[in-house]
Amino acid sequence: MPAYDELTERFRANHALLVAARDRLQAAVSAGTATGEQRTRLDTVNELLTSVTAAEVDAEGNVVEVRRPRQFLKVDPEGQGRAVEVLGELRQAKNVAVLVPGMGNSLDTFRGQADRGDLVRAEAGPGTAVIVWLDYDSPQGLAQAASKGAALDGGPRLAEFLHEVDELKAADAEVTLVAHSYGTDVAGEALINGARPARVVMTGSPGIRKYIDEAADFVPSPTRLYVERAPGDYVAYSEWHGPDPATFPDAVRMATNDPLANDEAVSVHWHNEYYRTNSEALRNIGRVVRGDLQAITTTATTRTTETELAPLTSWGTPFNHLAKTASEVYNGVVNLTHPHRHPTAPPNTPTAAPGTRAALPDAPAVPVPDDGVRQAGWSSAERVPGERESTARGAGVSRGGAHRDHQTGGRGR
C-alpha cells in the first residue's frame, strides 16, 4: 500500500477510535454513572474530534480557509492517554519536525502541545509538517520526573517511530527532533537506541545521562545538536539527569533573546517560554527546522551571568550545586533498589580518530565542523568553575475549545 494511502487509513482508523470513545463516555454521562475523570476525558475527546480551520491555496492561487479533521497516527483514550498528531501535509513537506513534550502531559493536555506544534510549524514556514509525539508515559510530577524510567521506556519507542517517519515522509524531506524538558531525556534515549534525524533541538534539558557531557557521546554523525537554555531555567541548572547540554563543547548553543532588538522584543526567561511567538528562541527553532542554519544566533552566557542578583552574587550556581547533590543522593538510593533503571556508566566507547570525538559503539566518530553562524552579540562572561560553556558554532491553524497557554502547553511542559 502506498505511504499516502497508509496515512489516510491510519487517520481514519484513529478518528473512528475517538468516535467510539466519545460514544462510550457520553453514554456514561447520560446514565449518570460517569466519574469526574470520565467527564474531563469526554471534553478532551470532543476537542480532538473537532475539525481545524486551515489556510490553503486553491487552484487559482487564492488563499482560502478550509476545515478538515485532525490527523492522528496514534491515539489511546484510556488511562493517562497518548496521541501522535500530524500538523500539515506530511507527504508533501520539505521539512518535518517531531515535537516531544516533557513532564505533566497527558491526553487531556494534548491541546496545548498541538498549539505549540502549530507555533513551530508557522515559524519554520511553508513546506513544514510537525508531528506532535506523545507516545510515552509523561511523568506527572516532580517525583516521577526525578526518575529516568519513563525516558528509558519511551526512548526506544521514539527511535522506532522516527524510522517509521522515514517511510511516510517525502524521500528528500529532512527530520528535526525538537524536545523540551523531560522530553529531551526521551529524545536522548532515542538517539542512543538508533534514531537518526538530520538535526536535534533540545530546550531546557535536565541532562541526558550522568556520563554524557558532549554531543558526541550520544549524537551520531552527521546529526547535529542545537540547544537552548533561557536565563533562570532552573530545570537546566539542576542537571538532575546529567550535564546540561547547553554546556556541551560540540553543541550549538542558540540564543533565546535578541540583544539587538528594540524594547518591544519578546523576552524568554525561566523554563516554559521557549515557544513564545516572535521570540528569538522560537525563531532559532524555526531556523533549524527549515535548515536555515546560517541565520541562527548564538550565546555563551553562564549560569552566573544569567542569574546575577548583585555584583558577585548569583543564585544559579549555588542552586546547581545543591540540585546535583540531591540528584546523587537520589540516584544512590535508586541504584540500591533498582540497579538497572539509572544508567550511570558509559558504554564501551571506541577511540576516536584524530580531529574527531568518540561516538557511540557501532557509530562513526563525529567530526566537529565550524559552520559559522551569526553571533547574537552576548558578552562572554568569565566561566564558573565546573561549568563548561558551548564554544561550537552551527550552521496558522485555529482550533475549537477552551484556550490553553501556548507557551506552557496547557498544564504540561
Side-chain angles (χ1 to χ4, degrees), residues 127-174:
T128 301
V130 173
I131 303 174
V132 184
W133 188 88
L134 184 60
D135 192 19
Y136 81 105
D137 293 330
S138 168
Q140 294 302 294
L142 292 177
Q144 291 184 18
S147 169
K148 283 283 294 182
L152 294 171
D153 291 337
R157 189 178 302 109
L158 176 58
E160 181 178 352
F161 176 74
L162 289 171
H163 290 309
E164 181 182 347
V165 170
D166 288 338
E167 301 299 320
L168 296 173
K169 69 178 181 62
D172 58 347
E174 292 190 321

Side-chain angles (χ1 to χ4, degrees), residues 343-384:
T344 56
N348 294 324
T349 305
T351 302
T356 65
R357 298 188 185 276
L360 291 172
D362 302 322
V366 181
V368 186
D370 183 5
D371 295 321
V373 300
R374 179 165 61 93
Q375 180 68 26
W378 291 79
S379 61
S380 180
E382 182 179 353
R383 290 182 183 173
V384 178

Side-chain angles (χ1 to χ4, degrees), residues 304-325:
T304 296
T305 57
E306 291 165 7
T307 59
E308 188 175 47
L309 301 174
L312 302 179
T313 304
S314 165
W315 64 264
T317 299
F319 176 83
N320 169 260
H321 295 330
L322 179 63
K324 288 174 71 173
T325 299

Side-chain angles (χ1 to χ4, degrees), residues 8-309:
T8 302
E9 289 306 313
R10 290 179 65 174
F11 294 157
R12 288 174 178 169
N14 284 294
H15 179 84
L17 191 155
L18 286 170
V19 170
R22 179 197 62 192
D23 294 345
R24 184 173 61 254
L25 291 165
Q26 185 60 62
V29 170
S30 299
T33 60
T35 64
E37 289 79 7
Q38 288 176 316
R39 291 176 180 275
T40 298
R41 183 55 51 87
L42 177 60
D43 291 340
T44 296
V45 170
N46 279 327
E47 190 275 323
L48 297 178
L49 284 169
T50 301
S51 299
V52 296
T53 301
E56 293 187 358
V57 179
D58 63 17
E60 287 74 36
N62 301 312
V63 177
V64 295
E65 285 192 349
V66 298
R67 291 192 66 80
R68 60 187 179 195
R70 294 175 68 174
Q71 306 175 130
F72 291 97
L73 284 171
K74 180 175 182 177
V75 66
D76 180 0
E78 303 301 325
Q80 184 171 311
R82 295 180 179 181
V84 179
E85 182 177 14
V86 177
L87 311 176
E89 299 298 331
L90 180 57
R91 286 291 292 168
Q92 285 74 47
K94 297 179 181 179
N95 302 296
V96 178
V98 178
L99 187 65
V100 184
M103 65 171 282
N105 279 287
S106 67
L107 195 65
D108 297 321
T109 69
F110 190 80
R111 162 66 185 276
Q113 296 303 322
D115 288 347
R116 180 175 288 180
D118 282 331
L119 293 174
V120 171
R121 182 176 171 229
E123 186 62 47
T128 301
V130 173
I131 303 174
V132 184
W133 188 88
L134 184 60
D135 192 19
Y136 81 105
D137 293 330
S138 168
Q140 294 302 294
L142 292 177
Q144 291 184 18
S147 169
K148 283 283 294 182
L152 294 171
D153 291 337
R157 189 178 302 109
L158 176 58
E160 181 178 352
F161 176 74
L162 289 171
H163 290 309
E164 181 182 347
V165 170
D166 288 338
E167 301 299 320
L168 296 173
K169 69 178 181 62
D172 58 347
E174 292 190 321
V175 176
T176 300
L177 183 59
V178 181
H180 176 62
S181 193
Y182 194 92
T184 67
D185 283 85
V186 181
E189 296 301 324
L191 292 165
I192 291 172
N193 281 273
R196 299 293 182 267
R199 295 174 285 275
V200 179
V201 175
M202 293 185 171
T203 61
S205 176
I208 308 303
R209 289 188 180 182
K210 292 299 182 182
Y211 62 84
I212 289 179
D213 60 5
E214 58 185 5
D217 288 337
F218 73 113
V219 181
S221 179
T223 300
R224 294 300 309 275
L225 176 63
Y226 300 82
V227 296
E228 290 184 348
R229 183 184 73 202
D233 190 337
Y234 45 88
V235 172
Y237 294 160
S238 75
E239 298 190 307
W240 188 270
H241 293 304
D244 178 8
T247 68
F248 291 178
D250 51 346
V252 180
R253 170 89 185 277
M254 300 192 297
T256 57
N257 295 284
D258 187 352
L260 304 180
N262 57 33
D263 292 339
E264 296 179 357
V266 174
S267 63
V268 169
H269 294 84
W270 310 106
H271 185 60
N272 287 323
E273 296 189 343
Y274 293 96
Y275 301 88
R276 293 189 67 184
T277 302
N278 295 325
S279 69
E280 191 69 5
L282 182 59
R283 290 193 186 110
N284 274 327
I285 294 171
R287 289 161 182 157
V288 176
V289 171
R290 67 174 177 266
D292 188 12
L293 306 182
Q294 298 299 318
I296 293 170
T297 57
T298 63
T299 185
T301 54
T302 66
R303 286 186 293 266
T304 296
T305 57
E306 291 165 7
T307 59
E308 188 175 47
L309 301 174

